[in-house]
Amino acid sequence: MRGRTITRTRPDADLAWYWSSQSASFVGDRLTGFAVPSIAILTLNASSAEVGVLSALGWFAYPAFGLVAGAALPHVPRRRVMITGEVIRFAAFATIPLAAALGGAGMGQLFVVVAVAGIAMVFVDVASQSYLPALVSADQLVGVNAKLQSSDSASKLVGPALAGLLLRTTGTTVALFLTALSFLASAYGRTRITAVERPAEPATEPFLQRIHTGFAFVRHHPVLRRQVGAAAVRSFGSGMVDAVLLLFAYRVLGLSSLAGGLLIAAGSVGGLLGAFVANRLAGKLGTRRVLLLTSVEALCWLAIPLCLVTTPAITLVLIRVLAGGWLPVWNVVTTSVRQQVTPAALQSTVHATARTLTSSTVPLGALTGGFAGGVLSSHLGAATGLVLVLATGGVIAGSSALLVATEPREV
């Protein structure tokens, strides 16, 4: 099977439009990712378990559809997939303010919308990662991925704070519609890319065989196998943290939606720094040592019990800042390694396999965190219970980097 190739007529302009579109998509993820659970908690009075389910639903799309996307995308125009997926995400989230205006919004609708948007995100994500190696040369991948990670970190800084401000000043209906517009902006930017994908040869392998091929490549590759396994553990821990962090901010610290947005955004200050230095660290230390260095994140989350004996909001902000810089470093290095070692014909299936395996543990972590938070809070009180979940999830996320300790010293 031959990989899809692209005729580049304006490589610099195409890369600029690709980057700006990805950035708009990141912003949309952060805006809606903060606005929807905030609406569930503050407006619909969702329980800890319901918040955990809401957090998990978007990520369930990867185990359900990730491998399907990877097997299908080598034989369809990936730019068209990205555009369509972004439009679907806008339409899904736009139904929430419409229903709210009509007085019919509820947790059931939020569950459906998040699930549909998550499925669209899977296809957009796999298509985007598979598209990039055809736009730039192999030696540019780390630099471009670092730039994209910087945009992602910046969106985490701006998005929650902006979403919190919109919720406070415009109300639920207008705020959520405005946050969803980022996906339309992303779709428009992708229409401006002029690179023409040459038609790929028709698939000769059966659909299930293509899925097996991508999975087998990851399983047998000595580096990818360890990195994907470590990333899966990291995602589980992150899912636990994300499921209860807003509950802790709103119900224990008593923060408003604006203050909660600023708190979530605080972690991206470190994220911006991490994305900025990832390329340099990889060049100086090598990929394996850089990945091991990201285990420092676990030490940061071990400090979370201090929130119970010091000024809670300030302590939590400091932990978020210090812990937030390591995930971007991990993402830049592992994505670049995967793109470099994967043959062109297997880019979509391998990326889909890796993303499916790593993302599948996020909903498991979210459900674990949500239900554990509810149980521990009922027995120990909300403050102690939620702090225990945050500490456990953060340590799991950070210490997962130790699983790459036995991989080859250089890629």
Side-chain angles (χ1 to χ4, degrees):
M1 180 174 61
R2 188 176 63 194
R4 182 183 295 276
T5 59
I6 295 180
T7 301
R8 290 177 285 177
T9 57
R10 302 184 307 161
D12 293 338
D14 284 342
L15 184 57
W17 278 112
Y18 176 90
W19 169 74
S20 61
S21 300
Q22 286 290 96
S23 299
S25 187
F26 293 149
V27 171
D29 286 336
R30 307 314 164 203
L31 289 171
T32 56
F34 179 83
V36 172
S38 293
I39 291 170
I41 296 170
L42 299 177
T43 303
L44 302 179
N45 198 30
S47 67
S48 175
E50 286 176 323
V51 175
V53 172
L54 188 65
S55 177
L57 273 174
W59 292 99
F60 271 127
Y62 253 109
F65 293 94
L67 296 178
V68 173
L73 287 181
H75 308 287
V76 297
R78 288 171 294 190
R79 186 172 71 102
R80 188 182 304 168
V81 171
M82 291 186 284
I83 295 169
T84 303
E86 297 291 45
V87 172
I88 290 174
R89 290 210 279 178
F90 164 76
F93 285 112
T95 65
I96 298 176
L98 178 61
L102 298 175
M107 286 302 299
Q109 182 185 4
L110 263 60
F111 290 152
V112 173
V113 166
V114 169
V116 170
I119 295 171
M121 179 194 69
V122 169
F123 285 86
V124 172
D125 185 39
V126 175
S128 298
Q129 287 198 9
S130 304
Y131 197 80
L132 181 59
L135 288 179
V136 301
S137 59
D139 60 345
Q140 294 177 292
L141 282 173
V142 174
V144 174
N145 279 317
K147 186 176 181 180
L148 291 170
Q149 190 64 55
S150 296
S151 296
D152 190 24
S153 297
S155 73
K156 293 177 182 177
L157 175 63
V158 176
L162 179 57
L165 179 62
L166 289 173
L167 285 170
R168 183 168 184 147
T169 57
T170 66
T172 300
T173 303
V174 176
L176 195 52
F177 179 79
L178 293 176
T179 62
L181 288 176
S182 296
F183 298 122
L184 275 188
S186 176
Y188 171 77
R190 297 179 198 277
T191 67
R192 303 293 296 172
I193 299 175
T194 61
V196 179
E197 293 181 88
R198 295 175 181 173
E201 292 180 353
T204 55
E205 289 182 298
F207 191 82
L208 292 179
Q209 180 60 41
R210 278 177 269 156
I211 293 177
H212 178 268
T213 299
F215 183 82
F217 184 87
V218 172
R219 182 165 61 91
H220 293 297
H221 196 286
V223 173
L224 294 185
R225 182 175 64 249
R226 291 184 178 91
Q227 289 187 6
V228 170
V233 175
R234 176 180 286 271
S235 295
F236 180 88
S238 297
M240 291 183 64
V241 171
D242 292 344
V244 301
L245 187 57
L246 282 178
L247 282 168
F248 183 70
Y250 292 143
R251 294 181 178 169
V252 175
L253 304 186
L255 301 183
S256 66
S257 60
L258 176 58
L262 293 174
L263 171 66
I264 299 300
S268 300
V269 175
L272 281 171
L273 179 61
F276 179 75
V277 302
N279 194 18
R280 298 179 182 180
L281 286 176
K284 291 182 178 180
L285 301 179
T287 57
R288 175 176 171 273
R289 290 177 180 174
V290 170
L291 293 180
L292 290 175
L293 186 62
T294 64
S295 62
V296 172
E297 181 181 355
L299 300 178
C300 299
W301 284 106
L302 280 175
I304 198 70
L306 293 177
C307 290
L308 300 181
V309 295
T310 61
T311 306
I314 296 177
T315 303
L316 186 55
V317 166
L318 290 175
I319 292 172
R320 288 278 297 164
V321 171
L322 294 174
W326 300 108
L327 180 59
V329 175
W330 175 276
N331 287 340
V332 168
V333 173
T334 56
T335 300
S336 300
V337 168
R338 188 166 66 246
Q339 290 169 334
Q340 289 176 10
V341 303
T342 302
L346 295 179
Q347 286 284 337
S348 293
T349 52
V350 168
H351 289 315
T353 299
R355 291 287 286 165
T356 297
L357 294 175
T358 57
S359 299
S360 295
T361 57
V362 175
L364 296 178
L367 290 173
T368 301
F371 283 97
V375 172
L376 292 174
S377 295
S378 66
H379 287 82
L380 304 175
T384 302
L386 294 179
V387 161
L388 286 174
V389 175
L390 288 170
T392 302
V395 170
I396 291 173
S399 60
S400 65
L402 300 177
L403 296 177
V404 303
T406 58
E407 76 174 25
R409 291 187 175 274
E410 275 305 328
V411 178

